[in-house]
Amino acid sequence: MGKTSDNLHDGSGQTFWDHLDVLRGVLLRILAVTLIFTVAAFCLKDEVFAVVLAPKSPDFILYRLLSGLSDRLGFRVVDTFDVALINTGLAQQFMIHMKTAFCVGLIVASPYILHQVFGFISPALYEKERKYSVRLLTGGYLMFLAGVALSYFIIFPLTFRFLGTYQVSPEVTNLISLESYMSVLIMLCLFMGLMCELPVLSYIATKAGIIDSGFLTKYRRHAVLVILVVCAIITPTSDAFTLLIVSLPIWILYEVSILISRSASR
């Protein structure tokens, strides 16, 4: 007689329903911690939006560095600018406040989320698999954060500075909505975070025997074309300037992926 689903178990002696109970506990803890951080971020509105809106200020760290470079070179690298944000919807600011608080809560809770998820799946892994999984998970997480930081400190400020002050005529004044500002910021940070996973994915694919450094080198030109097309489609703006500053770091990541693949092959 075949076993029923209630009697199915793994090597640890736990049934399918036991695993389901454990998973439910993991999800509830993740939800609770994320909600706590989201509420905290919602209450710390001034501090959160001081960080979120910092790239639009001429005093942002990138602009200060460029100003210092201007003083050293003897000519202006970037001029001072002033771009005001406006709100065009009755409930828009409140909704943006809620969405931003959730994003901040999710980011702050992300180490705990990864720890809970890995704690759930690690019993099913061998010791060697567990060791490699920790390295890959940590590396992937740090690379994602690096991509977000790259977007926040460099790519988005340059994009906002260029597009926010660009005018076809002095008679046309730019009025940038808060919704537009937030959507571009979130999309660029998310996109660059995901793109920074290229070296990690290259390492995994090489170890799995799917690709090697020779394959990546052979199709380098094709990859550059694909990068340009994907960036043109995914980036929230359609201008050539944003396309350039987003595509360049991804191309550099592709070259780094070749080096990592070559090292992994050895």
Side-chain angles (χ1 to χ4, degrees), residues 126-137:
Y126 292 109
E127 183 63 30
K128 187 175 181 180
E129 293 173 336
R130 191 177 296 114
K131 179 180 66 175
Y132 278 108
S133 297
V134 170
R135 293 178 181 176
L136 289 175
L137 191 63

Side-chain angles (χ1 to χ4, degrees), residues 10-258:
D10 58 10
S12 64
Q14 288 186 317
T15 66
F16 169 78
W17 300 110
D18 291 333
H19 285 295
L20 200 60
D21 287 337
V22 174
L23 177 60
R24 181 177 61 182
V26 168
L27 295 178
L28 288 176
R29 288 192 294 272
I30 288 175
L31 181 61
V33 171
T34 303
L35 182 61
I36 291 173
F37 283 120
T38 298
V39 172
F42 187 87
C43 295
L44 297 174
K45 180 182 67 173
D46 294 339
E47 291 78 3
V48 168
F49 278 91
V51 175
V52 170
L53 300 178
K56 82 175 191 64
S57 172
D59 295 329
F60 190 61
I61 182 172
L62 176 65
Y63 305 133
R64 294 204 306 268
L65 291 175
L66 291 177
S67 297
L69 181 62
S70 299
D71 296 337
R72 290 174 180 268
L73 297 178
F75 62 88
R76 299 299 300 171
V77 176
V78 58
D79 296 325
T80 58
F81 66 98
D82 182 22
V83 179
L85 299 180
I86 63 170
N87 178 60
T88 58
L90 180 62
Q92 203 168 70
Q93 290 202 56
F94 178 74
M95 295 304 299
I96 289 175
H97 184 191
M98 292 185 61
K99 292 177 182 177
T100 304
F102 174 73
C103 290
V104 173
L106 194 61
I107 292 173
V108 176
S110 57
Y112 178 80
I113 294 174
L114 291 177
H115 178 267
Q116 287 294 309
V117 172
F118 183 76
F120 176 74
I121 65 175
S122 61
L125 303 175
Y126 292 109
E127 183 63 30
K128 187 175 181 180
E129 293 173 336
R130 191 177 296 114
K131 179 180 66 175
Y132 278 108
S133 297
V134 170
R135 293 178 181 176
L136 289 175
L137 191 63
T138 303
Y141 179 69
L142 293 178
M143 288 300 296
F144 181 84
L145 293 182
V148 173
L150 176 66
S151 176
Y152 175 79
F153 286 104
I154 298 178
I155 295 178
F156 177 74
L158 292 177
T159 300
F160 180 81
R161 166 68 177 79
F162 176 77
L163 298 179
T165 60
Y166 186 83
Q167 292 178 287
V168 295
S169 170
E171 298 180 2
V172 181
T173 303
N174 288 331
L175 295 176
I176 311 300
S177 69
L178 177 61
E179 182 182 19
S180 174
Y181 176 93
M182 293 300 300
S183 64
V184 174
L185 174 61
I186 293 174
M187 285 298 296
L188 280 180
C189 288
L190 179 61
F191 179 66
M192 288 307 303
L194 294 176
M195 287 298 102
C196 279
E197 300 296 329
L198 279 176
V200 178
L201 295 177
S202 174
Y203 178 85
I204 296 174
T206 301
K207 283 295 187 181
I210 301 175
I211 62 173
D212 56 24
S213 58
F215 175 86
L216 295 176
T217 303
K218 179 180 178 181
Y219 290 98
R220 178 186 279 118
R221 294 182 180 178
H222 302 79
V224 172
L225 179 60
V226 171
I227 289 172
L228 290 173
V229 172
V230 171
C231 290
I233 294 174
I234 296 181
T235 49
T237 58
S238 57
D239 61 285
F241 179 80
T242 303
L243 178 63
L244 177 63
I245 65 173
V246 172
S247 301
L248 183 59
I250 298 176
W251 171 73
I252 295 175
L253 286 170
Y254 185 84
E255 297 298 327
V256 172
S257 299
I258 295 177

